[in-house]
Amino acid sequence: MRMASFAFVFLISTTGAALSQAGPAERPVLDCTEFSRTTDEAALAKRFGKENVVRGKLDGAEGETVPGTIVYPRDPARRLEISWWDTAKRRGLADITVKGKSEWLVRTPGTAQSTLGLRASLDLVEKANEKPFQLNGFGWDYGGYGMGWKGGRLDHPTGGCSLSVRFNPDPAVTGKALDRASGDKEFGSSDPVVRAVKPYVSSITLGWPEK
């Protein structure tokens, strides 16, 4: 099963802390209205430059890898990972993922300035959703993935895509606090057990259905 089917999109408010010294106005922004399920690899080459679009292996579920496309593979700050429903012909856009050291922001429903990015706090994502949401416990294959926006604003991104987010716990949190927030179980984002590990966004995914 594709990881995108479990993830929400992770983002950071333009009023929040930036991943680097670059200000939000200087950081690239993704908007799902710019893409659709019919987007193919040729369209990405036209948009980003053929030299910046390469084929490669992407992380999949349960330690597997899947064929995909990488935008700006040599520039961690601008890197995007793309997977396809038709992996052989690199067409039928399945999802676009921001992770690692990428500084992309993702536009969210709301004002034209509403965006989120990597390292966003649980509070910022909850505020963007305008209500609590569900996420998995940490420390396993699908650990930290958002499991439902519960009808919040992020359930209905402009452009028809889905918004997915994965969270990591603060590395400084260990012991019983981390144990209580870990495992194959769901938590509400307002649960004190989850908040005790100070989660932050570690990846964001925009997804499109197969049909």
Side-chain angles (χ1 to χ4, degrees):
M1 183 175 292
R2 291 177 182 274
M3 294 174 70
S5 63
F6 286 86
F8 296 49
V9 137
F10 62 86
L11 319 150
I12 197 170
S13 167
T14 53
T15 60
L19 185 62
S20 72
Q21 294 180 347
E26 301 169 355
R27 295 170 63 179
V29 177
L30 278 179
D31 186 330
C32 77
T33 61
E34 301 175 57
F35 306 91
S36 72
R37 203 192 73 79
T38 61
T39 298
D40 59 14
E41 194 173 68
L44 295 180
K46 184 176 181 179
R47 162 78 186 275
F48 298 106
K50 185 176 181 180
E51 70 280 7
N52 298 316
V53 176
V54 303
R55 297 182 175 185
K57 295 290 186 179
L58 307 180
D59 293 333
E62 300 178 353
E64 298 180 348
T65 59
V66 295
T69 300
I70 302 169
V71 177
Y72 297 118
R74 293 172 293 279
D75 186 348
R78 293 194 292 171
R79 182 183 175 101
L80 294 172
E81 296 187 359
I82 317 292
S83 66
W84 310 98
W85 291 112
D86 184 342
T87 56
K89 296 183 178 180
R90 296 321 200 265
R91 65 185 183 186
L93 181 61
D95 54 63
I96 302 175
T97 296
V98 182
K99 61 192 292 188
K101 297 181 179 180
S102 184
E103 295 192 358
W104 282 91
L105 299 172
V106 178
R107 199 176 308 285
T108 60
T111 68
Q113 292 75 38
S114 297
T115 58
L116 291 173
L118 295 181
R119 302 202 68 85
S121 69
L122 200 64
D123 280 337
L124 282 173
V125 179
E126 194 172 271
K127 183 180 294 185
N129 194 45
E130 297 186 342
K131 64 183 300 183
F133 54 90
Q134 297 296 112
L135 69 158
N136 277 334
F138 301 100
W140 63 295
D141 287 338
Y142 298 113
Y145 280 110
M147 293 303 295
W149 296 118
K150 309 299 287 185
R153 182 180 287 274
L154 298 183
D155 240 341
H156 307 286
T158 303
C161 67
S162 63
L163 188 67
S164 307
V165 174
R166 189 177 196 179
F167 293 87
N168 279 354
D170 187 322
V173 178
T174 58
K176 292 183 178 179
L178 182 58
D179 291 342
R180 285 193 288 268
S182 299
D184 183 3
K185 48 193 173 185
E186 288 187 30
F187 295 92
S189 59
S190 58
D191 192 320
V193 171
V194 170
R195 290 184 169 272
V197 300
K198 303 176 182 178
Y200 64 91
V201 170
S202 60
S203 70
I204 305 171
T205 299
L206 295 176
W208 286 263
E210 185 171 9
K211 293 181 180 180

